[in-house]
Amino acid sequence: GAVADDYPGVRTAGNLYGMAVGKDKTVWFAEQHAEKFAKIDDTGKITEVDVPGRGAGMIRLRRSGVDAEGNIWTGEYGGVGKLAMLDVGTGKVTDYATPTKYSGGYSVDVDRARNVIWMNELLGDQIARFDPRTKTFVEFRIPSPNGSVRRISVDQSRPNRVWYSSPAKNTVGFLDVTQ
């Protein structure tokens, strides 16, 4: 297969982290130190979207997912416990605070069948489910404390199952949700 190289001369000072391919095939990424979302087009041009109300590098946008409408969701790590959504149509960013303060939102994935957002809370040893229709969270404890979960993935064939990996515990596990 073909291998694509970096776009020559295209750079950002944002410390790139999370990345997701939107519904329209646009590539979005998080510039965690710049506190911005950004997208890149086929020519290498980068367009940035500020995440409002931040500053001083306190927020760290992490791993991202795309919902059924094409909106970008990401965990906000650092001094907050929030889930952020970028409405790609309007460019507006909305925050949703988790029930556990300072939970350290990290990796996000989407149950595409039900359009439900999942996010691990690194500092809270939890995985949270967020329903965008009702704007409510449900949090589930991970069985291994201090697991430092860095990545989650919704099993699209069984949307109530969320897989996670824990480098600190050298394990892979899953959460089955029955409620």
Side-chain angles (χ1 to χ4, degrees):
V3 176
D5 201 357
D6 291 348
Y7 289 101
V10 176
R11 297 289 180 261
T12 176
N15 191 5
L16 308 183
Y17 207 85
M19 184 171 58
V21 178
K23 188 176 179 180
D24 65 353
K25 308 300 183 217
T26 299
V27 176
W28 289 89
F29 55 92
E31 296 179 289
Q32 67 171 342
H33 289 175
E35 300 176 352
K36 298 173 189 250
F37 284 105
K39 65 180 177 178
I40 189 164
D41 69 18
D42 289 339
T43 69
K45 178 184 174 204
I46 294 174
T47 304
E48 297 175 316
V49 177
D50 287 323
V51 178
R54 306 306 189 281
M58 293 302 295
I59 193 77
R60 297 285 189 258
L61 302 175
R62 293 298 183 167
R63 294 190 168 105
S64 304
V66 180
D67 70 15
E69 284 81 45
N71 299 311
I72 310 300
W73 294 82
T74 193
E76 293 183 359
Y77 190 70
V80 297
K82 294 183 180 177
L83 176 65
M85 185 212 52
L86 167 64
D87 181 319
V88 296
T90 66
K92 180 182 177 194
V93 177
T94 305
D95 286 329
Y96 300 96
T98 60
T100 301
K101 195 172 184 178
Y102 309 121
S103 62
Y106 208 89
S107 180
V108 172
D109 200 9
V110 179
D111 167 353
R112 292 186 297 272
R114 297 181 297 166
N115 204 34
V116 174
I117 315 304
W118 290 87
M119 177 180 72
N120 77 298
E121 297 175 287
L122 183 81
L123 303 175
D125 283 330
Q126 301 175 126
I127 294 176
R129 179 181 65 204
F130 180 74
D131 185 337
R133 292 173 298 279
T134 62
K135 312 267 187 285
T136 56
F137 281 94
V138 179
E139 295 174 318
F140 304 94
R141 301 288 294 153
I142 296 171
S144 300
N146 302 313
S148 189
V149 169
R150 302 294 173 131
R151 180 82 175 155
I152 64 168
S153 185
V154 174
D155 185 335
Q156 297 299 327
S157 66
R158 295 195 288 203
N160 286 323
R161 178 170 283 183
V162 179
W163 289 89
Y164 61 89
S165 61
S166 170
K169 299 288 184 174
N170 199 28
T171 60
V172 172
F174 63 88
L175 172 71
D176 267 330
V177 177
T178 58
Q179 48 180 316

